[in-house]
Amino acid sequence: MAKKKRGNGYYSLNFKYEGKRYCVYAKQQKDLPDKKAEKVRKLEEEKAWIESHGGTYDDPTLESYYDRFTERRRVKVKENTIRVQRFQFDLMAAVELNGRRFGGFKIREITRPDVLEVKRILQEEGQKPQNINQCLGHLSHIFKEAALDDLIDKNPARSIDKIPVKSESHEKTHRALNNDEIIAFFKAAKEMNSYYLNSFQLMIQTGIRFGEMAALYATDIDIKNGIIHIRRTITRSENGAFMVGNDTKTTAGLRDLCVNELALKAIRDQEEQNRMIFGFEPGLLFRNTEGGIVLPCSINNEIRKICKAAGVEPFTSHAFRHTYTTIRMNSAPEEFKQISHDLGHSSVNITLDQYTHIMEERKKNTVAFQVKTV
């Protein structure tokens, strides 16, 4: 029997399928029977699929349950996340325990010692500790869902100790360029007439991520008011193909940036470059040489060539973001909240953790905020 749900005005209907209780919701009470029929249809399709892949609906293998687990998450998880986590799962599923693939175990028969053995084997195979920790974290999430589905009583991957990971210093993993390197790099890029010069300028003048730069459309730029609207980023589909996403890396990544004149000049120059090469065809502002999505490997390969010509130690495109932030933090440390917002960090703690030590180390090299590239 339907009843009005408290708080939001929706109606709900409880029913049982294969001995388990389910609930559907609708704005109108008359729509509940159709909602129930649709839910039952999906449950029957799910059951048939699982049984055709070696499991049963109430007693699935780990692999067949994972497919059910993944299908549920498609509506709220990005394709790139599903792709990465599928790789992590396949790595674990392929491990052999007593002559059997771990993925072929019935989910109810998997024990904590089994999970620990998978962890040990992955270590022996030379998998990186951080990767193993991520795999085990994902496995724990799978078992947690299975417990909520009443397929198991407890999570056998819960509280498995993580493998200690040696953390490299920020200076090694996220190098900021010094003034001499900046000038030498951009001088060489201009002399080489680098196709991606404007991309480099925009990233170092705004600190935006590579994916955010590559996903900009002309309509995202307000030249008159000097504002860039960050609305999306480059991501990857489930099959690994690069694509323009529908949103940013995090919710905080959705932001408007007030930019300096050098950034606006890079945008104008890029628009002119696009007109010369591609005509007036609308599309992405920063493109590859064929007019498609710019790939990180293309940008980083170009950076390496320029670094060689400039006599600068090689770096990746992330160094532009790190350089921007380092200079800005040194110039106006009291503005760290605004800086965090402009970077698209989900928390000011992320900004402080990553950059305050640099601010202390480089106080004597403080310069005016606008990054000099000539």
Side-chain angles (χ1 to χ4, degrees):
M1 183 176 181
K3 61 180 180 180
K4 194 170 184 179
K5 188 182 179 185
R6 292 182 179 179
N8 63 3
Y10 275 66
Y11 288 89
S12 64
L13 177 65
N14 295 314
F15 67 95
K16 283 189 175 182
Y17 176 81
E18 297 285 335
K20 293 183 180 179
R21 188 176 296 276
Y22 296 91
C23 188
V24 293
Y25 303 90
K27 288 185 177 181
Q28 302 294 327
Q29 188 169 347
K30 63 182 178 62
D31 295 330
L32 286 171
D34 290 339
K35 292 283 187 179
K36 176 185 175 182
E38 176 66 13
K39 181 67 175 178
V40 170
R41 183 186 66 77
K42 289 183 178 179
L43 290 170
E44 289 176 345
E45 288 180 354
E46 185 178 330
K47 178 181 177 181
W49 194 96
I50 289 171
E51 290 176 346
S52 70
H53 284 72
T56 64
Y57 190 74
D58 291 318
D59 191 18
T61 63
L62 178 60
E63 285 178 319
S64 62
Y65 180 76
Y66 186 71
D67 288 318
R68 184 201 307 188
F69 168 85
T70 299
E71 288 304 317
R72 287 178 181 171
R73 302 173 73 227
R74 289 189 188 281
V75 296
K76 58 182 179 181
V77 177
K78 295 179 179 179
E79 285 189 58
N80 189 45
T81 301
I82 289 177
R83 180 186 65 84
V84 171
Q85 292 180 340
R86 167 62 74 173
F87 174 82
Q88 293 170 346
F89 177 80
D90 287 345
L91 196 64
M92 296 181 288
V95 171
E96 287 200 3
L97 301 180
N98 300 319
R100 295 174 59 196
R101 292 179 70 260
F102 183 57
F105 280 48
K106 294 292 183 68
I107 197 166
R108 62 174 173 77
E109 67 179 337
I110 296 174
T111 64
R112 181 179 175 84
D114 291 331
V115 178
L116 289 170
E117 183 66 3
V118 169
K119 174 185 175 183
R120 184 190 67 78
I121 291 173
L122 290 177
Q123 285 181 280
E124 285 189 350
E125 290 177 350
Q127 294 294 330
K128 293 182 179 180
Q130 185 174 0
N131 190 29
I132 296 174
N133 291 340
Q134 291 172 344
C135 286
L136 294 174
H138 186 45
L139 186 63
S140 181
H141 186 190
I142 297 165
F143 284 128
K144 181 179 178 181
E145 287 294 307
L148 292 174
D149 287 339
D150 295 324
L151 295 175
I152 55 177
D153 294 327
K154 59 182 180 180
N155 179 353
R158 182 182 178 187
S159 301
I160 297 289
D161 290 338
K162 291 184 177 181
I163 304 171
V165 178
K166 284 186 178 181
S167 59
E168 296 183 290
S169 69
H170 284 283
E171 281 297 308
K172 188 172 182 180
T173 58
H174 296 297
R175 184 166 79 88
L177 309 178
N178 61 42
N179 290 339
D180 291 340
E181 289 176 317
I182 294 171
I183 293 172
F185 176 86
F186 279 91
K187 181 176 183 292
K190 289 177 181 178
E191 290 175 350
M192 294 171 64
N193 196 26
S194 173
Y195 178 81
Y196 295 113
L197 175 61
N198 297 320
S199 301
F200 303 149
Q201 274 283 17
L202 187 71
M203 285 189 283
I204 203 169
Q205 297 297 337
T206 63
I208 63 175
R209 301 177 177 95
F210 161 80
E212 295 169 341
M213 175 276 297
L216 283 173
Y217 289 92
T219 52
D220 296 321
I221 312 299
D222 181 350
I223 290 286
K224 181 179 178 181
N225 295 303
I227 295 174
I228 297 178
H229 305 291
I230 308 295
R231 295 292 179 264
R232 65 196 72 79
T233 189
I234 298 298
T235 184
R236 299 180 80 168
S237 66
E238 192 173 340
N239 64 12
F242 284 92
M243 57 183 282
V244 179
N246 296 321
D247 50 20
T248 49
K249 183 178 179 181
T250 64
T251 302
L254 190 69
R255 62 201 190 278
D256 295 335
L257 294 180
C258 293
V259 297
N260 63 36
E261 183 54 38
L262 288 177
L264 294 175
K265 182 180 184 302
I267 292 169
R268 294 190 194 97
D269 290 347
Q270 184 63 33
E271 289 177 333
E272 180 59 28
Q273 179 174 300
N274 289 345
R275 279 191 288 271
M276 292 174 60
I277 300 175
F278 306 111
F280 289 90
E281 178 188 355
L284 293 170
L285 182 59
F286 295 93
R287 316 176 187 186
N288 64 23
T289 54
E290 297 179 352
I293 294 174
V294 180
L295 302 183
C297 60
S298 299
I299 285 281
N300 290 329
N301 285 339
E302 181 76 353
I303 290 173
R304 280 193 290 272
K305 292 177 184 177
I306 297 170
C307 285
K308 184 176 181 180
V312 172
E313 183 182 348
F315 57 87
T316 66
S317 62
H318 188 78
F320 294 130
R321 177 174 170 86
H322 200 61
T323 301
Y324 163 91
T325 309
T326 300
I327 294 175
R328 192 170 172 190
M329 287 286 283
N330 279 324
S331 300
E334 71 281 358
E335 296 179 4
F336 71 88
K337 288 185 178 180
Q338 183 62 44
I339 296 171
S340 181
H341 168 272
D342 290 347
L343 290 171
H345 283 162
S346 57
S347 166
V348 293
N349 291 330
I350 295 175
T351 311
L352 292 174
D353 288 345
Q354 292 185 5
Y355 296 107
T356 50
H357 68 290
I358 295 175
M359 181 175 62
E360 290 298 322
E361 292 170 1
R362 303 193 178 199
K363 277 182 179 178
K364 60 184 179 181
N365 294 322
T366 299
V367 296
F369 169 61
Q370 182 164 283
V371 182
K372 297 178 181 179
T373 58
V374 292

